[in-house]
Amino acid sequence: MTNTNDTMTEKEKEEVIPLLTPYKMGNFNLSHRIVLAPMTRSRSYNFVPQPHAALYYSQRTTKGGFLIGEASGVSETAQGYPNTPGIWTREQVEAWKPIVTAVHEKGGIFFCQLWHAGRVSNNGFQPHGQPPISCTDKRIQKDIGNDVASTDRYTPPRRLRTDEIPEIVNDFSIAAKNAIEAGFDGVEIHGANGYLLDQFLKDKVNDRDDEYDGNLENRCRFPLQVVKAVADEIGADKVLQPLDRTHPQKLAIRRRVPKVL
Ligand SMILES: Cc1cc2nc3c(=O)[nH]c(=O)nc-3n(C[C@H](O)[C@H](O)[C@H](O)COP(=O)(O)O)c2cc1C
């Protein structure tokens, strides 16, 4: 790591593995470019991170390495799978602390992934058995990722009223504050994979008739409000925002925003 390109011999240059070279990510100095992707483990019983996660994450930590934690629900309406962690209650924040400490003790940089499943859920995960919330009341027809029809898995969602949307934005903001309190170095806002932010973005899903749909700018409004609220809360230098990486075409800009894009 101390060698620079100028002082290295030709043979040493040939041996450099790009993935193992340092990278400056905003204010963070990463010692290499291998990142632990966010990966749901479904072992956070009752939505509370468990002590064994400290071992799990520290095993995957290197000095100066970057880790993104598994998707963590921002509110009691955010969940859609069994035993995924949350970051909205005091108990969850306290439970994350030793896990984050374990990563920091090995020199890792650790971001919390903030997540709302939206309609990728069912009444069983929702408070008082209510319908999951979304930008739409259209139910998911196919299982995400594998195209297997599984309508039983997802119950019909409830379309959020326009005046409710700022409350969801606020949930993200509070969750970000909680993540920093738990010791995380920053947050990643989950904007992909068909979850709530992605549901607002996609015109195949978003069928609203208010300022949150109608054109691409309107469909971006809710995700951008979330990004701004979170950045205002904890500082933009601590915020990552991935969009749908696997299926960019699914942004579906063809129907209502033609040719210019
Ligand atoms: C078991 C499993 C759980 C995952 N959980 C999450 C998650 O919680 N959040 C997320 O953004 N992506 C999740 N993913 C997606 C991965 O982070 C990653 O994006 C995916 O495996 C594809 O890798 P790529 O984005 O480098 O192509 C998960 C993937 C797997 C295999």
Side-chain angles (χ1 to χ4, degrees):
M1 229 43 104
T2 50
N3 277 347
T4 66
N5 267 353
D6 293 340
T7 58
M8 290 164 81
T9 65
E10 284 309 309
K11 185 163 187 308
E12 281 173 332
K13 280 183 192 166
E14 274 171 26
E15 284 171 358
V16 167
I17 301 170
L19 265 179
L20 300 183
T21 57
Y23 180 72
K24 186 161 167 52
M25 183 186 75
N27 293 337
F28 299 97
N29 292 309
L30 311 185
S31 63
H32 59 79
R33 298 159 190 244
I34 302 169
V35 176
L36 179 73
M39 274 184 295
T40 294
R41 310 314 305 158
S42 290
R43 290 180 173 81
S44 295
Y45 309 119
N46 297 318
F47 307 131
V48 179
Q50 299 294 305
H52 56 68
L55 176 63
Y56 169 80
Y57 281 108
S58 66
Q59 282 172 333
R60 287 151 182 81
T61 304
T62 50
K63 192 169 164 45
F66 182 43
L67 300 86
I68 305 175
E70 64 211 270
S72 298
V74 297
S75 70
E76 61 178 357
T77 63
Q79 303 291 355
Y81 300 98
N83 301 318
T84 46
I87 186 80
W88 76 89
T89 69
R90 169 62 32 202
E91 184 185 12
Q92 291 162 343
V93 172
E94 294 303 320
W96 273 116
K97 284 182 180 174
I99 302 167
V100 179
T101 300
V103 170
H104 283 161
E105 280 173 353
K106 285 184 77 176
I109 295 152
F110 198 11
F111 274 33
C112 179
Q113 189 181 55
L114 306 183
W115 172 61
H116 196 301
R119 67 175 190 163
V120 188
S121 184
N122 68 49
N123 303 43
F125 290 112
Q126 297 299 316
H128 314 298
Q130 292 165 358
I133 57 172
S134 182
C135 57
T136 179
D137 53 14
K138 281 187 299 185
R139 182 185 198 165
I140 293 182
Q141 295 301 319
K142 289 184 174 172
D143 203 351
I144 286 192
N146 59 17
D147 277 359
V148 174
S150 61
T151 43
D152 290 348
R153 158 90 174 76
Y154 309 112
T155 46
R158 178 178 73 79
R159 184 194 306 269
L160 281 164
R161 295 190 317 269
T162 311
D163 67 296
E164 290 178 293
I165 293 176
E167 295 167 25
I168 314 298
V169 173
N170 193 45
D171 287 339
F172 274 88
S173 171
I174 293 170
K177 189 177 173 195
N178 288 344
I180 298 302
E181 190 193 329
F184 284 102
D185 300 293
V187 303
E188 178 180 82
I189 301 166
H190 200 333
N193 299 4
Y195 298 118
L196 186 63
L197 271 66
D198 208 22
Q199 290 158 28
F200 273 81
L201 285 170
K202 302 284 170 63
D203 81 347
K204 276 188 171 174
V205 181
N206 191 339
D207 57 357
R208 306 179 66 83
D209 57 8
D210 59 6
E211 67 261 36
Y212 291 94
D213 191 22
N215 56 45
L216 185 59
E217 185 182 347
N218 284 353
R219 279 185 281 129
C220 292
R221 192 176 308 283
F222 168 64
L224 289 176
Q225 286 175 341
V226 170
V227 172
K228 181 169 188 320
V230 169
D232 286 349
E233 183 65 48
I234 65 170
D237 56 325
K238 302 184 195 70
V239 182
L240 290 176
Q241 169 68 82
L243 297 175
D244 196 325
R245 303 153 288 204
T246 46
H247 304 291
Q249 74 280 11
K250 285 191 187 165
L251 201 53
I253 50 181
R254 77 198 172 291
R255 181 157 61 87
R256 297 182 197 167
V257 186
K259 295 165 196 159
V260 274
L261 292 168

